[in-house]
Amino acid sequence: MEMIDRVKVRVQKPEDRVKNFEEVELGFNEEEALKEASRCLNCQNPRCRTGCPVNIAIPDFISAIKEENFTEAYNIISEFSALPAVCGRVCPQEKQCEKLCVKGIKGEAVAIGALERFVADYAIRNNILSTRKVEKNNKRVAIIGSGPAGLTCAGDLARNGYSVTIYEVLHKAGGVLVYGIPEFRLPKSIVEKEVDKLKALGVRILTNVPVGNAITIDELRKEYDDIFIATGAGLPKFMNIPGEDANGVFSANEILTRINLMKSYKEDSKTPIKKGNKAYVIGGGNVAMDAVRSLKRLGIDAHLMYRRSEEELPARLTEVHHAKEEGIVFDLLTNPVKIITDENNNVTGMEVVDMVLGEPSEDGRRSVTEKEGSNHIVDCDMVVMALGTGPNHEALKESDIKLTDRGLIEVDESGIKTSIDNIYAGGDAVTGAATVILAMEAGKKAAKAIMERNN
Amino acid sequence: MYKVLKNVPISENSYLMEVVAPLVVNKAIPGQFVIVMSKEDSERIPLTIYDYDKEKGLLKLIYQVIGASTLEMTKVKDEIFSVVGPLGRPNEMCKDPEIFKGKRLVYVAGGVGIAPCYPQVKYLKERGFQVDIIYGARNEGLLLIRDQIEKVADHVYYATDDGSYGTKGFVTNVLEEKINDYDICVAIGPFIMMKNVAELTKKYNLKTIVSLNPLMVDGTGMCGACRCEIEGKSKFACVDGPEFDGHKVNFDVAIKRMNTYREEEKKKLEEMKKALGE
C-alpha cells in the first residue's frame, strides 16, 4: 500500500496573522480530509479511543469520512461530544488520541483533531443537528457555570430528556471558551453555534446570575432534582513579589478577558486595553501562550518568561510552535524577583534571576533553583502573570459543600459526587486548572451519575 | 435585556436609573454592587446599589458621568443590555446588625458616594441604630438626594469646598468636631476623601469602614484588575470587598492604579462624544 504523509493543516502565514485576530489554523477542506482519513487503518482494537477522555468512536467517524458521509461522521461524534468544533481545535491531541495512534509508531499519527474539526465545521456550515430523538422526562437539573464541563453535562442530559438550566455569572455563555481562549485559536462564533445547538436541544441558559449571591445552592436544591457545580478555576494567581500592584502588571485573565470577552482588540471597542511597548508574560502554559500571542497581535514586543527550559513548557506543542513562528521571544530559565516602577507606579522593568534545573521531583517535573548572583534588570512596561488559576468558590456561599486541603471541591471515589447528596462537581473546580477536554470528561461523568441515580 | 423605568439627570453630572431586575434585588443587602452594560458591546461598569424595592423587583442606581461608558449610559432608554448582581460582600453591620447593636454610627460621604451610603443608613436606622451623615461636595449643586438622606438619618451635616451650603471646608473638618460622638465610621467617596477620613479617624482610634471602587472588568474574582493592597496583602475589591477596614488600605497605591487607563479613557470619551454627536 502506498504510504501517504500526514496531511498538513493549512495555516495563516505568520507575518499576516500577527496583525490580526483571525484563526491561525484554517482546517482541512474536503479533499484534504478525505486524503487524511484514508491514512486511518481502522484498527480492530483502536488505541486512539482509549486516549480520548470522552471515548469518541474515532475509527467509526473516520470511516464515515472515507465514505464521504460527513453527516454520519457528525452523528457518531455527537454521541460522545457536545462540543466537537471546540475540541477539534483546542484538545491536546498529541498527548491523547494521536499519541496512541498506531501510525505514529513508525511515522506520523492520523490527524484526528483536524478531522474532528472538519466534521464539526461541516455540520455548522450545513446546519446539521444531531438526529437523536429525545423523550422528555420530568427531571430538572441545575448546572452552575457554562464552561466546557457545564455545557457537556447539559448536552448529555438534554439529549436524554432532562430539563436543564445553566446558571452563568457573565453576560455570555461559554466560560473559558469565551473569556479565555483567543479568537485566533477558537473563534467565538464557533462557540456561539455550539451553545445555540444546546439551546435547540432545550437547554435553558440564564446569564448574569451570581449563584451564591443572587440565589444559593440550598435554594437551587429546592427547585432541582440534581445540581452540577462546574464553576472552573477562575481566580488568577500572582507571584507575591514586590511591585506587583504597579500599573502595567496584569493577570493573564485580565488581558484575555478584555481581549476576548470585551473585544478590546478592536479599535472601536468600548473597553480599553493597555498597549505597551514591551511586555513579559510570565509562565509557560497554554494561557501564557494565549496571552503572549494576543499581545503580539496588538503590536507589542511580546516576550515569554518561563523558569524552566523549553522541554518543560506545559503548553501544547502546536502553540509553542506557532508562538515561535510569530516572533515571540522566549526567555527561558529566568524568573522575576521584583517589578521596578517609576514615581507614578508605572512599570519600567523587572529584576530577574537565572534559574538552574535540578532533578525530577515526585511529580516528575524537574525542580528549579535560583542561580546565585545572576540577578539582572530587563526593561519593559507591561508584565502579565500567567501562573495558573485557583478555584473561585463564590457560588458555594452559604452551602456546606466540603473542600479539600488545597481548597478544591471535595468529591468521593466516584470522582464526581460532593459531600452533599445529589450535588456533583467537576472540571477545574475539582481538579484545579486543567484542560477543556478534561472538564468535558467531568461533565460527561456528572451526566452519567445523574442519569444512573434517576434510573 | 432589562426593562428601564427611569434614567434621568438629578444634578449637573449625575443620573438616576431604575431597572427591573428582581433576581438582583431579591437577596441584595446594602454594601453590595452590580455591573451594568448599556449595550451588548459596552464596557462593564461597576456601580454600588443605591436603593431597591424588593416587592417590585426594582433596582435603583445613581451614576456620575465621568467617561465614555457613563456618557453612553445616559442615552439608555426603555432597556439596558445587562445587569448582574448582587456582587461583593454586604456591609458588615447590615449583614449582622445584632453584633453591632447600640453602636453610634456616622456615615461620611463625598459627592456621588452618598448613593451607596443611603441604603445602609436607611437599613440600619430601621434596625434601631443612631446614624448621622456628614456629606460633602465641591458646591451645593453637586449635593445629591438631600431630601432622602434627611428623611432617614438622625442628623445630616453638610460641607462644601466653596461654602455654598453647610460648613465651608471638608467633611473631615466636620467629622473632627464631632468625632467623640461616634463608635463606627463608614466613609464612601473619592479615594482621596476616604484616605483623609481614615487618617483622621486613625488618630482618634475610631473604627472606619471604606467602600473601594477601583477599576474592574468581570467583578467576579476572575481578572484581578481591582486588586488593592490591604495590610500589605493583595485583595480583590470585587469578591473580598468592596468594603475594607479603612485603616488597613494603602490608598496611595489605589489612587495611582486608577490612572492605569487614563490615556485610553480620554480617547474613548472623545470617540463616544463624536459618536453621540456631542
Side-chain angles (χ1 to χ4, degrees):
Chain A
M1 202 174 125
E2 188 199 355
M3 284 287 276
I4 316 170
D5 286 341
R6 174 168 159 135
V7 181
K8 291 229 162 22
V9 175
R10 280 169 295 117
V11 295
Q12 254 201 89
K13 281 196 212 126
E15 58 270 32
D16 295 335
R17 69 185 193 238
V18 291
K19 294 184 201 119
N20 66 53
F21 274 80
E22 282 151 39
E23 211 170 0
V24 170
E25 297 197 345
L26 303 171
F28 284 156
N29 59 28
E30 224 172 280
E31 190 191 334
E32 290 161 334
L34 288 172
K35 193 172 169 196
E36 182 59 24
S38 75
R39 297 180 65 235
C40 175
L41 301 174
N42 204 358
C43 304
Q44 282 251 302
N45 185 8
R47 297 175 0 133
C48 53
R49 260 193 101 164
T50 61
C52 174
V54 298
N55 198 31
I56 293 175
I58 294 165
D60 295 359
F61 93 76
I62 296 181
S63 293
I65 296 177
K66 287 179 190 166
E67 289 156 16
E68 295 185 48
N69 191 346
F70 307 131
T71 303
E72 174 61 14
Y74 176 71
N75 283 330
I76 293 167
I77 298 177
S78 293
E79 286 297 311
F80 304 90
S81 170
L83 307 168
V86 172
C87 287
R89 287 173 166 81
V90 304
C91 263
Q93 289 101 3
E94 75 274 10
K95 292 179 187 166
Q96 297 173 348
C97 52
E98 293 181 15
K99 186 183 176 185
L100 297 173
C101 175
V102 172
K103 290 283 256 190
I105 299 171
K106 276 191 182 162
E108 282 191 285
V110 173
I112 301 168
L115 288 172
E116 179 185 26
R117 172 185 161 167
F118 166 77
V119 169
D121 287 359
Y122 175 89
I124 287 175
R125 252 193 338 271
N126 296 290
N127 212 9
I128 295 161
L129 294 171
S130 165
T131 48
R132 190 161 165 154
K133 289 263 174 298
V134 178
E135 246 177 74
K136 277 270 178 200
N137 63 27
N138 57 0
K139 297 291 178 190
R140 293 164 56 84
V141 178
I143 295 174
I144 308 169
S146 68
L151 292 177
T152 302
C153 183
D156 279 13
L157 290 172
R159 279 181 299 169
N160 284 285
Y162 287 74
S163 298
V164 181
T165 304
I166 302 181
Y167 290 85
E168 166 58 49
V169 69
L170 291 176
H171 58 273
K172 216 175 190 141
V176 73
L177 307 176
V178 296
Y179 76 75
I181 303 177
E183 183 78 17
F184 57 82
R185 270 212 305 135
L186 178 63
K188 300 312 138 203
S189 59
I190 297 282
V191 180
E192 241 166 70
K193 296 253 168 61
E194 300 269 45
V195 170
D196 285 347
K197 281 189 194 168
L198 290 180
K199 286 184 185 163
L201 276 174
V203 174
R204 186 168 71 133
I205 302 180
L206 301 177
T207 52
N208 280 344
V209 186
V211 172
N213 280 356
I215 188 163
T216 63
I217 285 181
D218 279 352
E219 287 165 331
L220 290 176
R221 284 187 88 186
K222 291 179 196 136
E223 258 184 77
Y224 296 93
D225 298 290
D226 298 270
I227 297 173
F228 177 47
I229 304 169
T231 45
L235 212 61
K237 287 181 186 158
F238 288 89
M239 293 187 81
N240 297 316
I241 56 172
E244 226 171 357
D245 281 336
N247 301 354
V249 180
F250 306 91
S251 74
N253 265 8
E254 177 176 354
I255 296 292
L256 292 171
T257 303
R258 284 179 186 272
I259 291 176
N260 301 321
L261 182 70
M262 308 311 294
K263 310 276 172 239
S264 59
Y265 64 92
K266 294 183 178 169
E267 272 303 320
D268 61 351
S269 162
K270 292 166 185 165
T271 302
I273 182 98
K274 202 82 207 167
K275 290 183 190 171
N277 292 312
K278 185 179 173 194
Y280 280 95
V281 173
I282 318 297
N286 287 321
V287 174
M289 296 300 154
D290 285 347
V292 78
R293 295 173 68 199
S294 296
L295 295 177
K296 182 81 187 178
R297 282 161 171 75
L298 296 175
I300 299 167
D301 177 14
H303 292 236
L304 184 112
M305 184 172 283
Y306 179 56
R307 59 191 183 141
R308 291 188 170 88
S309 72
E310 181 161 348
E311 211 171 294
E312 288 81 23
L313 281 170
R316 274 180 78 193
L317 223 53
T318 323
E319 309 309 326
V320 176
H321 173 68
H322 283 158
K324 284 188 166 173
E325 279 184 345
E326 289 163 13
I328 305 295
V329 185
F330 282 64
D331 293 311
L332 301 164
L333 288 165
T334 317
N335 209 29
V337 290
K338 187 183 168 184
I339 314 276
I340 302 164
T341 58
D342 65 12
E343 68 281 6
N344 294 318
N345 202 38
N346 295 318
V347 175
T348 58
M350 285 192 297
E351 183 182 328
V352 301
V353 64
D354 292 344
M355 305 297 284
V356 184
L357 280 175
E359 291 304 307
S361 60
E362 275 171 31
D363 63 358
R365 292 182 81 193
R366 293 181 71 179
S367 63
V368 273
T369 46
E370 292 184 1
K371 187 173 169 189
E372 225 174 286
S374 66
N375 293 44
H376 58 282
I377 307 287
V378 295
D379 289 336
C380 62
D381 54 5
M382 279 177 85
V383 178
V384 177
M385 297 297 177
L387 310 160
T389 48
N392 179 345
H393 295 315
E394 285 296 295
L396 306 187
K397 273 186 200 164
E398 290 180 41
S399 82
D400 300 321
I401 290 173
K402 273 196 199 139
L403 301 181
T404 65
D405 298 342
R406 285 175 61 206
L408 300 162
I409 298 177
E410 186 181 288
V411 289
D412 69 5
E413 63 283 354
S414 69
I416 204 81
K417 290 180 187 164
T418 69
S419 56
I420 298 180
D421 281 349
N422 310 346
I423 301 187
Y424 308 81
D428 285 3
V430 170
T431 58
T435 60
V436 169
I437 190 73
L438 286 174
M440 290 181 56
E441 180 188 16
K444 283 197 95 65
K445 241 184 179 173
K448 197 165 162 244
I450 289 168
M451 289 188 274
E452 278 168 6
R453 188 186 81 77
N454 286 290
N455 263 340
Chain B
M1 285 290 182
Y2 297 75
K3 206 171 166 191
V4 173
L5 301 185
K6 203 184 249 183
N7 187 23
V8 293
I10 53 167
S11 79
E12 201 182 297
N13 64 348
S14 298
Y15 276 68
L16 167 71
M17 184 187 277
E18 295 187 5
V19 191
V20 180
L23 204 55
V24 175
V25 297
N26 185 33
K27 297 190 63 127
I29 300 175
Q32 291 182 297
F33 68 96
V34 296
I35 286 190
V36 298
M37 292 171 77
S38 296
K39 298 185 197 164
E40 192 170 359
D41 65 352
S42 296
E43 195 179 5
R44 290 170 68 94
I45 34 182
L47 293 168
T48 316
I49 295 170
Y50 154 57
D51 199 5
Y52 48 79
D53 182 331
K54 294 199 180 193
E55 272 169 30
K56 292 183 185 154
L58 203 57
L59 168 73
K60 300 180 191 184
L61 302 166
I62 288 179
Y63 62 96
Q64 199 178 356
V65 184
I66 47 166
S69 295
T70 41
L71 178 62
E72 183 186 36
M73 215 164 123
T74 64
K75 307 297 173 198
V76 166
K77 280 189 197 118
D78 306 325
E79 279 187 332
I80 189 159
F81 173 69
S82 166
V83 182
V84 57
L87 298 169
R89 293 164 186 271
N91 167 270
E92 58 185 274
M93 295 182 291
C94 295
K95 188 160 188 276
D96 296 302
E98 281 303 309
I99 299 175
F100 298 92
K101 215 171 176 175
K103 299 283 185 209
R104 299 164 302 164
L105 314 177
V106 61
Y107 276 74
V108 183
V112 74
I114 194 66
C117 287
Y118 170 75
Q120 298 197 16
V121 173
K122 188 169 134 188
Y123 191 92
L124 293 165
K125 188 71 198 152
E126 282 166 2
R127 283 156 184 79
F129 285 83
Q130 179 205 309
V131 194
D132 287 355
I133 294 176
I134 300 172
Y135 181 23
R138 282 205 312 279
N139 60 55
E140 184 180 5
L142 297 174
L143 292 169
L144 310 172
I145 55 169
R146 271 159 49 191
D147 289 351
Q148 283 93 316
I149 59 174
E150 284 169 20
K151 247 181 259 170
V152 295
D154 287 294
H155 301 97
V156 181
Y157 306 98
Y158 294 96
T160 49
D161 297 7
D162 65 357
S164 53
Y165 198 79
T167 303
K168 183 176 187 319
F170 300 119
V171 284
T172 38
N173 304 132
V174 182
L175 177 62
E176 188 156 25
E177 266 177 41
K178 304 178 192 303
I179 204 150
N180 294 320
D181 297 350
Y182 305 114
D183 303 309
I184 299 173
C185 167
V186 178
I188 308 180
F191 273 119
I192 188 69
M193 182 213 90
M194 292 191 282
K195 179 188 174 184
N196 291 335
V197 170
E199 277 174 4
L200 174 71
T201 56
K202 196 165 187 181
K203 269 201 296 196
Y204 291 92
N205 207 13
L206 174 66
K207 176 184 165 84
T208 298
I209 301 165
V210 295
S211 178
L212 304 184
N213 50 347
L215 299 172
M216 239 177 232
V217 186
D218 63 286
T220 65
M222 204 173 79
C223 80
C226 67
R227 60 193 193 278
C228 300
E229 199 185 308
I230 311 293
E231 262 190 322
K233 288 208 177 84
S234 211
K235 296 272 179 198
F236 291 1
C238 64
V239 290
D240 299 320
E243 296 192 357
F244 292 101
D245 180 339
H247 298 155
K248 294 178 177 169
V249 176
N250 185 335
F251 285 103
D252 294 336
V253 168
I255 289 167
K256 285 175 178 167
R257 279 185 65 80
M258 291 302 279
N259 291 322
T260 302
Y261 293 99
R262 192 61 87 203
E263 289 308 310
E264 289 81 358
E265 283 160 355
K266 260 191 221 158
K267 205 174 132 228
K268 298 272 179 214
L269 179 58
E270 290 314 310
E271 285 168 10
M272 182 64 73
K273 278 183 177 165
K274 222 168 137 190
L276 296 173
E278 288 190 2

